[in-house]
Amino acid sequence: MRIAITGLGVTTPVGGDVATSWAALLAGRSGIRALPREWAQDLPVRFAGTLAEEPPLDRVEARRLDRSQQSAMVASREAWADAGSPEVDPLRMGTVIGTGIGGVITLLDAYDVLKERGPSRISPLTVPMLMPNGPAAVVGLAHNAAAGVHAPVSACASGAEAVAVAARMITDGRADVVIAGGTEAPIHPLTMAGFAAMRALSTRNDDPSAASRPYDIDRDGFVMGEGAGALILESEEHARARGARIYAYLIGAGLTADAHHIAQPDPEGRGAARAILAALADGEASAEDVVHVNAHATSTPQGDSAEAVAIRLALGSAQPAVTGTKSMTGHMLGAAGAAESVFTVLALHHRRVPPTANLDHQDPSIDLDVVHGEPRQLPDGECVALNNSFGFGGHDVALAFRSA
Amino acid sequence: MSQEILDGLAVIVNEVAGVPVADIQSDKSFIDDLDIDSLSMVEVVMAAEDKWGVKIPDSEVKNLRTVGDAVAYIEKSTA
């Protein structure tokens, strides 16, 4: 496949838009912060990657949208404007936005109202705000997307799966232009407690900005983050006909499953390796073409090791420049795969790979060339980059991009 | 008609749907003039019930076509 990427948008813990976020990543700047003391005092984990900038929406729009929908709107608007706000026949326009959990803050706040004030006080917006297809629906409505609106749900692979589904809408002939993305607004005491109960989160409360440290020997779990990412996917023909700027091409998507465990990755990385190989085969690319991997790299002890094994299994002796941007953004769950697709595309476009923060002592069992300290220059000429995303449930998604 | 209730309702409709307060007049239809959808109408009713301590049953809501209808209903219920 060969799908043009013509617009990019994000809102993340390191920046409210693409330019700010990218500059922060290149500078190795962390967006992980302590949560408000009173809010977090009873929690085992009291820090997270909160949005660098509150969503710039008007009051009425903001109150009708869950925070996950607000972020999706912000990232989509930026991506759409970045693509030149093209005129598209609604029947040829699609939207695919994934989320891991959906409107969990809305749901839990509504439950508080139910307990305190009774069912008659529940807002009529509760259901549209909590449903996991809500972000895709509100963005689809804003752009008259009548070809189809979809919301893949595969935990932390949702954003990447959305990009894959969006690409298929184009290759299947259902749409010419698709807004693809992922979003998450999971920072609530209940979700923090739930992930902490799984022992999935870092507990480095005394040093939040050092907590997310993918591939480091002292990593102790992931750091919760919130945000959204969006990409405008366009058939090459449509993009060329309107003279659009093409950042890069999405050339392949590999979607597999571990069939191993509900939360643990397969330590042998077989499902993830199959996803990488499928993405490369889809794009008629070889392991040697891959110059860069934006890894899933959440900073969990098992996950990072399993991914390193999977990359070796899929790429053999090739040593692309690997980075883990979650070291700075934290893990934006269902937004991660979309935001990191944006970062992967930017790396190809600017020929620069952001460093992995907090990599003080690389785990010796991890046989990867992990970029750290400062950005890495990529070679000139045609080259391929991968973005990996994996989710609880054993979902494996790899996306392959080729430079424009 | 109570100006106080009209003013209070205008604040609620503005809060819920962003309609400018000046546009919210007694002869305006919620649906046709103010573009209030069914979900927003439920929100307006809930806020009005809270503000004036009245009960507006669903069977009545469909009769409240204009802002003036709602003001009259609230006025009658609080009398």
Side-chain angles (χ1 to χ4, degrees):
Chain A
M1 78 163 83
R2 191 171 154 94
I3 307 284
I5 313 275
T6 58
L8 303 172
V10 294
T11 180
T12 74
V14 296
D17 56 20
V18 167
T20 318
S21 295
W22 184 243
L25 294 179
L26 290 176
R29 214 155 41 233
S30 173
I32 311 303
R33 310 166 181 87
L35 290 164
R37 192 180 298 267
E38 218 163 284
W39 188 96
Q41 60 185 1
D42 296 332
L43 296 172
V45 174
R46 299 181 289 280
F47 58 95
T50 52
L51 287 181
E53 214 176 287
E54 281 302 301
L57 302 173
D58 75 51
R59 177 178 56 81
V60 173
E61 189 172 34
R63 64 180 292 284
R64 295 180 73 94
L65 301 174
D66 177 76
R67 190 169 174 85
S68 63
Q69 300 172 345
Q70 294 177 8
S71 290
M73 288 292 268
V74 170
S76 301
R77 273 183 193 155
E78 184 187 13
W80 191 250
D82 189 40
S85 305
E87 288 287 328
V88 184
D89 175 0
L91 296 175
R92 303 295 302 163
M93 172 79 209
T95 300
V96 187
I97 296 187
T99 173
I101 322 182
V104 66
I105 295 176
T106 292
L107 173 65
L108 294 167
D109 287 352
Y111 188 54
D112 289 342
V113 172
L114 178 75
K115 284 183 296 181
E116 286 159 19
R117 304 184 61 202
S120 68
R121 296 295 96 186
I122 293 297
S123 164
L125 301 175
T126 305
V127 171
M129 286 170 68
L130 73 81
M131 59 193 197
N133 57 318
V138 297
V139 171
L141 281 166
H143 292 91
N144 280 320
V149 173
H150 306 283
V153 172
S154 48
C156 305
S158 303
E161 190 168 333
V163 175
V165 171
R168 295 286 177 238
M169 283 189 79
I170 294 173
T171 58
D172 287 352
R174 294 176 58 208
D176 295 322
V177 182
V178 184
I179 300 176
T183 189
E184 206 76 65
I187 301 175
H188 183 284
L190 184 107
T191 43
M192 295 292 290
F195 281 103
M198 298 176 83
R199 308 296 186 263
L201 297 180
S202 168
T203 56
R204 201 179 286 258
N205 286 304
D206 56 346
D207 194 2
S209 66
S212 188
R213 40 197 318 114
Y215 302 127
D216 188 85
I217 190 74
D218 293 322
R219 68 190 185 276
D220 74 326
F222 79 81
V223 176
M224 188 90 90
E226 61 176 353
L231 304 92
I232 307 305
L233 269 54
E234 198 164 342
S235 73
E236 191 176 4
E237 191 186 357
H238 193 277
R240 294 226 181 270
R242 70 181 186 90
R245 170 203 42 206
I246 298 172
Y247 281 104
Y249 295 97
L250 175 63
I251 57 166
L255 297 91
T256 63
D258 275 3
H260 173 74
H261 186 269
I262 191 68
Q264 295 293 335
D266 173 4
E268 294 182 42
R270 289 168 294 196
R274 281 187 290 117
I276 293 170
L277 290 171
L280 290 176
D282 204 6
E284 295 171 3
S286 68
E288 290 69 38
D289 297 331
V290 179
V291 297
H292 166 48
V293 180
N294 186 307
H296 189 58
T298 62
S299 180
T300 62
Q302 302 90 333
D304 291 3
S305 295
E307 183 175 16
V309 168
I311 291 172
R312 274 284 68 76
L313 196 57
L315 301 185
S317 58
Q319 286 285 12
V322 175
T323 195
T325 45
K326 289 186 183 79
S327 58
M328 295 166 276
T329 62
H331 190 352
M332 299 177 278
L333 310 185
E340 288 156 18
S341 286
V342 170
F343 303 151
T344 309
V345 167
L346 287 169
L348 285 175
H349 180 68
H350 295 297
R351 305 278 165 167
R352 291 183 91 189
V353 175
T356 305
N358 300 317
L359 188 72
D360 297 333
H361 303 99
Q362 184 166 334
D363 181 339
S365 74
I366 284 172
D367 175 22
L368 295 175
D369 175 12
V370 183
V371 180
H372 64 286
E374 55 185 33
R376 176 88 56 89
Q377 196 72 29
L378 288 177
D380 294 336
E382 263 205 13
C383 49
V384 171
L386 293 169
N387 174 27
N388 290 340
S389 297
F390 315 120
F392 283 162
H395 311 275
D396 302 305
V397 180
L399 301 170
F401 298 90
R402 190 184 285 279
S403 55
Chain B
M1 178 174 301
S2 163
Q3 186 65 39
E4 198 186 324
I5 293 176
L6 178 62
D7 291 347
L9 202 57
V11 169
I12 288 171
V13 173
N14 172 264
E15 184 73 27
V16 166
V19 181
V21 170
D23 293 355
I24 303 164
Q25 292 158 2
S26 59
D27 61 334
K28 293 287 167 63
S29 156
F30 286 109
I31 296 171
D32 299 331
D33 298 324
L34 303 180
D35 202 22
I36 303 292
D37 68 15
S38 62
L39 299 183
S40 295
M41 193 62 195
V42 177
E43 289 195 280
V44 169
V45 166
M46 285 171 63
E49 287 179 336
D50 277 351
K51 184 171 174 64
W52 288 288
V54 298
K55 182 81 196 118
I56 310 176
D58 288 351
S59 55
E60 280 298 333
V61 173
K62 63 176 185 294
N63 300 326
L64 307 180
R65 198 182 65 80
T66 66
V67 174
D69 295 342
V71 171
Y73 186 88
I74 293 163
E75 203 168 10
K76 188 179 67 168
S77 306
T78 52

